Amino acid sequence: MAGDAIVSSTTDKPDTATPAALQHEVVEGMDRNPDPALDPAHQHRHAHRHHSPRVDAAGHDDPVYTQGTNFDPTLVPTQDHRGGLEHGVDKAPVGTPPDYSDHEKADVGIVGTAGQGSTESTSRSERRLGPVYRHRRILTHLFLFCLFTGWWIASLILHRTDKNWVVPFLLWLAITLRLFFFHVSIKYISNPIRWVWQHTAIVICNAIPSRFRTMSGAALAIAVILVGSFASEESADNTRANRAVSLFGMAVILFSFYLTSAARSRINWRTVIVGMLSQYVVGLFVLRTQVGYDIFKFIADRAGDLLGFARDGVAFLTSQQVSLLPMFFFGVIPAIIFFVSLVQVLYYIGFLQWFIEKFATFVFWALGVSGAEAVVAAATPFIGQGESAMLVRPFVPHMTKAEIHQIMTCGFATISGSVLVGYIGLGLNPEALVSSCIMSIPASLAISKLRYPETEETLTAGRVVIPDDDEHKAENALHAFANGAWLGIKIGGTIIASLLCILAAVGLINGLLTWWGHYLNINDPELTLQTILSYVLYPVAFLLGVARNGDLFMVSKLIAQKVITNEYNAFTMLTSPEYAGLSDRSRLIATYAVCGFGNIGSLGIQIGILGQLAPSRGGDVSRLAVSALISGVMSTLTSATVAGLVVTTQLSNFDTKKSG
């Protein structure tokens, strides 16, 4: 046999044989095989242009895949996704925690120890950024520091009475720290923090028997929620009794997802507990502090402005009047195409890879989710469900089913910054809208991991390995931008076709139900999917803590309208004269409950985008879509329960300032 010939020819020779000699012996073994397809002379060989610098330096131009299938396995080190260091010459014991302190100095997509691969990655990025930056790096960073410091001080003086100082300060601080850590290793800060953490929290955790740790964490989270919810004073119908109903509703939602979990024994309770506690803490920060509201409002506004630049292109192709029309075709699709192109450029220069790697480290430590899930969760409330999936585009074909379920749940759980400003313009509570965008994300992580726990090994668990993307390889930034435009057109077309078909199917079903209901004298209201779902969601509205004074059915109608059609129609209903008599508490809870993309139309968007990004995973996406939709809708509803627990005054601070 050919396999026997290979083994015998390689094992009988001394260890000093060169790879070329080994290949010659393999050829001799294969010559004795009657199958001509196994003859290396008949194999296709070609040069590859996009190899790692390590391969080029070694003088090899052929691809090297995995250890055991090539003659020199040290060319590409085997990567361990369990949190250890790279294996190979400097193999570390399994379980050794990785050192992320100097990650930006390593190869893109490979988390290594300090100094590993630093020369290759640095030289590659410097070639892209030009000779001025390469030879004058310190001066360039000093110039940027002085520029932004001057801008911050000038803005502080010129607008000390009419502008908020927090957001400019945070921007200046972020830029300053980034420039500083280009030259000073972050390990001088991370190591002391790690030491304090290990000698405080870890000591306390280790003192608790392992079988009681999950229970202790849950008890701590419950205690924080109880104290924060019931210690504040009562106002109007925001009584402690109504808050107790909201808390009970949150517990019922979580318990229901536990009962219907796809793998209860594999649930990561750390993700669930920390996710729900994070949702509550974010609610406290945004709704009870003006600083929290200002920060998240600024971020959402800037994200909306970024996507709004697509209107300039629409105005050129059509007219200025058309670009201002509140239509999905002219307002959303062009923004998606533009953002896809922008993402391609950010990938080309390496910024998004750096962001994914850094953010994944923290979120994996805090919530125990993968890096790709963490990035989508962070980006979704600002740029939307379609655009956030683009941030992890190379990962999508390699994702586990639980990861696909998670990123779809995130998309359904919140709205994007591109539509947030428009909804605020309808007269809705801006604090509620902004805080809901943020609060629903940790809840979506918790609920998705309850419904569909991780049972496979993820590619980005604790460390980020960015797959090579030969299909969209770009020669320069302009090429990357053009590639993104073409990909954006394909994604936009898929979204339009999916929405058209799904909404038409909903209309068909409603038409049949209405016709059938007329023969049963069901005319007011007509028998539709919205009507049926309104009655189904009636007890859900009660569990949210809605005032029991006739508001329950009205709120359930809003949620049903949002799920069947979209949140825009539901918000329009909420601002109509029909809902003018809704109590302040019920209006606030309804605003949170409706603030999400969890509807049948978005189901088509998610399937279209992910199916286009990874055609081979289309079947998995379709199978998980309905479960993710339900999880996303319920994540939004948990934010409504938190609002019922946190807010002490139902009127917006924005409205209070206007009246004052």
Side-chain angles (χ1 to χ4, degrees):
M1 300 296 291
D4 296 333
I6 295 174
V7 172
S8 61
S9 62
T10 55
T11 55
D12 294 338
K13 299 293 181 181
D15 295 337
T16 57
T18 62
L22 292 177
Q23 292 181 11
H24 177 69
E25 292 164 10
V26 171
V27 172
E28 289 181 348
M30 287 186 174
D31 286 341
R32 294 191 294 269
N33 193 291
D35 188 354
L38 298 179
D39 188 348
H42 297 162
Q43 296 177 3
H44 170 66
R45 303 176 65 85
H46 62 277
H48 293 262
R49 301 173 56 194
H50 303 296
H51 279 166
S52 167
R54 287 174 298 196
V55 180
D56 296 334
H60 292 264
D61 191 49
D62 294 323
V64 180
Y65 295 105
T66 59
Q67 185 171 359
T69 60
N70 61 81
F71 295 102
D72 190 359
T74 61
L75 292 176
V76 177
T78 305
Q79 298 170 14
D80 178 15
H81 305 294
R82 296 169 295 179
L85 302 177
E86 290 187 2
H87 289 219
V89 178
D90 299 323
K91 182 174 179 179
V94 175
T96 302
D99 181 7
Y100 299 103
S101 57
D102 293 308
H103 180 46
E104 69 272 12
K105 302 180 181 64
D107 284 346
V108 175
I110 302 175
V111 177
T113 58
Q116 184 178 21
S118 58
T119 304
E120 299 162 3
S121 179
T122 303
S123 61
R124 188 187 313 115
S125 61
E126 288 178 351
R127 284 197 303 270
R128 289 177 177 176
L129 295 176
V132 175
Y133 182 84
R134 182 168 67 250
H135 299 296
R136 301 290 184 269
R137 182 175 182 178
I138 296 178
L139 294 179
T140 302
H141 289 173
L142 185 62
F143 170 76
L144 293 175
F145 170 76
C146 294
L147 176 65
F148 282 98
T149 301
W151 166 81
W152 173 55
I153 294 175
S155 66
L156 210 59
I157 296 174
L158 296 175
H159 298 280
R160 58 184 177 274
T161 58
D162 61 332
K163 295 287 185 181
N164 187 287
W165 65 272
V166 176
V167 173
F169 169 74
L170 292 178
L171 178 62
W172 170 83
L173 182 62
I175 294 173
T176 301
L177 291 177
R178 186 69 193 104
L179 295 175
F180 178 76
F181 287 121
F182 263 119
H183 305 279
V184 178
S185 175
I186 198 174
K187 66 183 179 182
Y188 295 112
I189 295 179
S190 61
N191 287 346
I193 295 175
R194 186 183 298 111
W195 185 90
V196 173
W197 177 260
Q198 291 176 347
H199 289 79
T200 54
I202 298 300
V203 172
I204 297 174
C205 181
N206 291 336
I208 303 174
S210 58
R211 63 180 181 276
F212 296 125
R213 289 174 187 171
T214 299
M215 188 180 302
S216 301
L220 177 62
I222 293 173
V224 171
I225 294 175
L226 288 176
V227 172
S229 301
F230 295 100
S232 57
E233 71 281 0
E234 297 182 348
S235 61
D237 58 349
N238 192 3
T239 62
R240 291 186 175 88
N242 284 338
R243 297 178 199 172
V245 174
S246 296
L247 184 61
F248 176 71
M250 180 190 296
V252 169
I253 292 175
L254 294 177
F255 185 68
S256 300
F257 275 88
Y258 170 75
L259 290 180
T260 59
S261 175
R264 283 197 291 269
S265 61
R266 303 296 295 272
I267 293 176
N268 185 350
W269 288 105
R270 174 183 175 182
T271 305
V272 177
I273 295 171
V274 177
M276 298 307 298
L277 182 60
S278 300
Q279 181 191 37
Y280 186 80
V281 171
V282 170
L284 285 176
F285 180 62
V286 177
L287 295 179
R288 290 193 181 178
T289 66
Q290 188 62 37
V291 172
Y293 172 74
D294 290 338
I295 291 174
F296 288 112
K297 178 65 166 57
F298 171 82
I299 296 174
D301 286 348
R302 301 293 75 77
D305 292 343
L306 174 65
L307 299 181
F309 292 138
R311 292 196 188 98
D312 296 339
V314 176
F316 174 78
L317 295 175
T318 57
S319 66
Q320 188 66 33
Q321 293 75 18
V322 173
S323 67
L324 298 176
L325 292 176
M327 297 173 61
F328 184 85
F329 185 83
F330 294 109
V332 178
I333 295 298
I336 291 177
I337 297 175
F338 168 66
F339 187 80
V340 170
S341 296
L342 192 61
V343 165
Q344 291 293 100
V345 175
L346 294 178
Y347 257 108
Y348 172 76
I349 65 177
F351 173 79
L352 284 182
Q353 292 92 319
W354 171 85
F355 175 80
I356 291 172
E357 293 155 1
K358 292 299 182 182
F359 193 83
T361 303
F362 171 76
V363 176
F364 176 78
W365 167 80
L367 292 172
V369 298
S370 70
E373 292 172 324
V375 171
V376 173
T380 299
F382 305 119
I383 60 178
Q385 56 185 341
E387 299 92 328
S388 61
M390 284 301 305
L391 294 178
V392 292
R393 177 182 53 78
F395 296 108
V396 177
H398 310 276
M399 283 183 173
T400 65
K401 293 180 181 179
E403 286 182 303
I404 293 177
H405 188 274
Q406 172 57 53
I407 65 173
M408 295 178 73
T409 301
C410 283
F412 292 132
T414 185
I415 62 174
S416 66
S418 59
V419 301
L420 178 66
V421 177
Y423 292 154
I424 292 177
L426 293 176
L428 299 167
N429 188 331
E431 292 150 319
L433 294 174
V434 173
S435 59
S436 179
C437 289
I438 309 301
M439 292 164 58
S440 297
I441 293 306
S444 70
L445 290 167
I447 288 181
S448 179
K449 294 307 179 184
L450 269 177
R451 175 68 186 89
Y452 210 99
E454 186 62 77
T455 59
E456 306 170 72
E457 181 184 1
T458 63
L459 187 65
T460 58
R463 59 187 305 177
V464 177
V465 182
I466 300 180
D468 193 16
D469 187 21
D470 290 330
E471 181 182 356
H472 302 96
K473 186 72 67 174
E475 297 295 335
N476 51 39
L478 184 60
H479 189 195
F481 195 80
N483 286 343
W486 172 240
L487 182 61
I489 290 174
K490 293 192 291 184
I491 290 176
T494 304
I495 291 173
I496 292 174
S498 299
L499 279 175
L500 188 152
C501 294
I502 288 180
L503 293 181
V506 170
L508 173 62
I509 295 173
N510 282 340
L512 294 174
L513 288 174
T514 301
W515 173 82
W516 189 70
H518 286 169
Y519 287 93
L520 299 176
N521 294 331
I522 303 177
N523 299 314
D524 189 23
E526 293 183 334
L527 184 62
T528 61
L529 289 174
Q530 289 91 322
T531 303
I532 296 173
L533 194 59
S534 297
Y535 286 100
V536 172
L537 295 174
Y538 188 89
V540 174
F542 166 77
L543 292 174
L544 297 182
V546 175
R548 296 171 295 281
N549 55 1
D551 294 346
L552 287 175
F553 186 67
M554 298 183 70
V555 172
S556 67
K557 284 172 59 179
L558 287 173
I559 302 174
Q561 182 68 25
K562 172 246 184 173
V563 173
I564 299 300
T565 58
N566 54 61
E567 75 286 346
Y568 180 82
N569 290 339
F571 279 137
T572 303
M573 289 176 57
L574 183 59
T575 57
S576 65
E578 178 187 357
Y579 283 80
L582 212 61
S583 68
D584 291 333
R585 176 181 175 83
S586 300
R587 182 177 299 276
L588 179 76
I589 292 177
T591 302
Y592 277 92
V594 172
C595 191
F597 284 144
N599 55 70
I600 296 178
S602 293
L603 191 68
I605 293 178
Q606 292 268 27
I607 294 175
I609 291 179
L610 294 179
Q612 183 65 48
L613 295 179
S616 62
R617 305 302 299 277
D620 291 333
V621 171
S622 299
R623 281 189 293 270
L624 297 170
V626 175
S627 174
L629 174 61
I630 297 173
S631 301
V633 170
M634 289 300 171
S635 300
T636 307
L637 295 183
T638 58
S639 295
T641 64
V642 171
L645 293 171
V646 170
V647 177
T648 55
T649 57
Q650 287 80 40
L651 293 177
S652 165
N653 291 338
F654 179 75
D655 296 331
T656 303
K657 291 176 183 177
K658 287 196 303 184
S659 61

